[in-house]
Amino acid sequence: MIIAQQKPIKDIAAMVSDCRKVALIGCAGCVTVCLSGGEKETEILASAMRMMRRLEGKPLETVTFTATRQCDPEYVDALEGLVKDVDAVISLACGVGVQYLAERFDKWVVPALNTNFIGGSRVHGVWEEKCGLCGDCILHKTGGICPIIRCSKSILNGPCGGSQYGKCEISKDVDCAWQLIYDRMKKLGRLDKLMEIQPAKDWSTSRDGGPRRAVREDVMIG
Amino acid sequence: MRLQYSPNVRIVEMTCSGNIDHRVILNAFEEGADGVFVAGCMEGDCHFLKGNIRAKKRVHAVKKLLDEIGIGGERLEMYNLSSAQGSRFAEIADEMTARIRELGPNPLTGVGAACCGCSKEGGAK
Ligand code: SF4
Ligand code: SF4
């Protein structure tokens, strides 16, 4: 899922300091799971902002709603009536949701979250980055451990000389991805696979090719 | 045991302190409460094992938020006591009342609209 975290409330409040009525729109997708922009977080933010503004002597009226997904036009369309008479829309979705709202409505749309990475939850309350969205997955060559995002240098024939006692040279708290890959391949009895030298990766499938688009003709309607 | 404690304390019963939601606490302040204390069971004695530990973490998070928005985190506190400690409850109620008296009324009192300004539209579940 996409992992995002809320911006400091003062920063969010500053973006709408000149507004009298705002809609806070949560998203029931990834940001609900990573506890940053679901129904609960939306209501907490709304309540906190109302109190903040009352203390400033500039009361803020809020409307809250949690969309099924903000990254899907059909759910964004449904928000029309809700945002009609607000001065601004605060989106608690990832950057994708914010953009879908901004594209759809002629409104001042602002982000309440910082979109951090795609990953998963290690334990409740701890999320970690797992994929760098390279567009040409090579996990079958690396024992299911991504060297693109989990190796600080994204090297394909690791480890580098900085790998020490299983840790990456950037920090003693970060595992060396290539040590993990080696250990895993050894356990699987596939060390021979690591002997193949990986050629330079074609990054055109990644961000180097500009913004990407995926199309599935067979599921398109109309 | 009929104990006296500050009459200004209003009790909101919850099934477990672990059921406390950030929104319940914020709502109390938004509606004008001067202070809130969460009374959970003794640590290690939770019927649901960790409810009171979770409550403590949530209370801590809301204290931080109250500081950020200018209400003041010191208006919120978590206490642990068993349901058999009636006199301790009365003591805490008095202790908290004294603390809040010192701090004065909820800073929201007398500012802004009578209605909090919210308008909730349900949403996707
Ligand atoms: S190899 Fe590429 S697609 Fe696969 S997990 Fe790593 S970054 Fe993601
Ligand atoms: S120490 Fe390991 S994870 Fe860090 S940059 Fe080198 S190979 Fe990558």
Side-chain angles (χ1 to χ4, degrees):
Chain A
M1 78 188 112
I2 289 179
I3 312 294
Q5 286 175 307
Q6 208 178 96
K7 286 176 179 287
I9 188 164
K10 284 197 167 60
D11 295 356
I12 304 169
M15 296 177 205
V16 295
S17 61
D18 56 348
C19 304
R20 282 185 27 246
K21 182 172 181 181
V22 296
L24 291 104
I25 311 291
C27 177
C30 309
V31 293
T32 289
V33 185
C34 71
L35 308 174
S36 53
E39 187 178 1
K40 180 174 175 180
E41 293 77 27
T42 304
E43 286 170 9
I44 291 173
L45 180 61
S47 170
M49 287 189 64
R50 286 194 301 270
M51 286 195 264
M52 230 177 143
R53 287 283 296 265
R54 259 172 79 188
L55 287 177
E56 287 169 12
K58 298 188 296 180
L60 179 72
E61 200 182 328
T62 63
V63 184
T64 56
F65 183 81
T66 301
T68 302
R69 281 193 297 280
Q70 288 187 31
C71 55
D72 230 329
E74 74 178 279
Y75 301 114
V76 175
D77 283 347
L79 302 172
E80 179 140 37
L82 223 102
V83 305
K84 198 168 65 223
D85 65 341
V86 299
D87 304 318
V89 179
I90 300 175
S91 166
L92 286 91
C94 69
V96 181
V98 180
Q99 293 183 60
Y100 269 69
L101 296 192
E103 196 176 288
R104 175 66 179 74
F105 305 113
D106 289 328
K107 292 279 171 188
W108 180 235
V109 181
V110 302
L113 309 185
N114 288 323
T115 305
N116 304 116
F117 53 84
I118 71 165
S121 25
R122 170 60 43 200
V123 292
H124 201 64
V126 176
W127 296 273
E128 54 190 19
E129 188 166 24
K130 289 288 193 193
C131 169
L133 306 163
C134 77
D136 183 14
C137 196
I138 54 162
L139 285 174
H140 56 296
K141 295 180 175 173
T142 56
I145 294 157
C146 173
I148 306 301
I149 209 68
R150 294 176 64 186
C151 163
S152 307
K153 292 175 185 153
S154 300
I155 54 180
L156 296 176
N157 299 282
C160 73
S163 179
Q164 287 243 340
Y165 309 112
K167 299 294 171 189
C168 171
E169 65 178 330
I170 63 152
S171 160
K172 61 176 178 18
D173 299 325
V174 177
D175 289 331
C176 165
W178 274 100
Q179 181 71 53
L180 296 176
I181 293 169
Y182 178 86
D183 291 347
R184 172 122 173 110
M185 292 300 249
K186 191 171 173 189
K187 200 166 150 201
L188 295 174
R190 297 194 173 220
L191 275 181
D192 54 307
K193 292 255 178 213
L194 285 185
M195 296 311 286
E196 287 168 31
I197 303 291
Q198 296 306 318
K201 195 167 166 62
D202 172 6
W203 292 101
S204 66
T205 57
S206 182
R207 270 288 303 149
D208 293 19
R212 292 167 279 181
R213 198 180 166 94
V215 180
R216 273 275 307 271
E217 296 278 0
D218 60 325
V219 296
M220 288 170 79
I221 299 166
Chain B
M1 189 161 45
R2 285 190 174 273
L3 294 164
Q4 293 274 332
Y5 63 87
S6 308
N8 48 289
V9 175
R10 295 282 172 278
I11 298 189
V12 179
E13 286 178 26
M14 312 225 68
T15 46
C16 168
S17 63
N19 200 18
I20 193 89
D21 184 314
H22 304 59
R23 290 169 292 187
V24 175
I25 306 174
L26 289 176
N27 187 252
F29 283 107
E30 203 171 353
E31 295 290 324
D34 299 316
V36 172
F37 71 91
V38 177
C41 294
M42 302 295 283
E43 286 189 11
D45 280 353
C46 177
H47 180 74
F48 302 105
L49 307 179
K50 290 182 180 166
N52 45 6
I53 307 287
R54 294 193 177 129
K56 182 162 101 180
K57 290 183 185 167
R58 271 178 233 152
V59 165
H60 185 75
V62 179
K63 275 167 91 68
K64 213 170 132 233
L65 181 60
L66 290 172
D67 273 335
E68 279 167 12
I69 64 176
I71 299 285
E74 66 279 18
R75 292 181 179 276
L76 170 65
E77 207 52 75
M78 169 91 196
Y79 287 95
N80 296 93
L81 71 163
S82 92
S83 53
Q85 291 178 289
S87 51
R88 176 67 187 132
F89 180 82
E91 202 176 285
I92 291 168
D94 291 342
E95 197 176 293
M96 200 60 192
T97 303
R99 181 199 292 196
I100 301 301
R101 283 236 161 84
E102 184 107 339
L103 291 168
N106 179 335
L108 288 173
T109 319
V111 291
C115 159
C116 67
C118 74
S119 158
K120 195 171 140 187
E121 302 278 345
K125 290 281 180 289

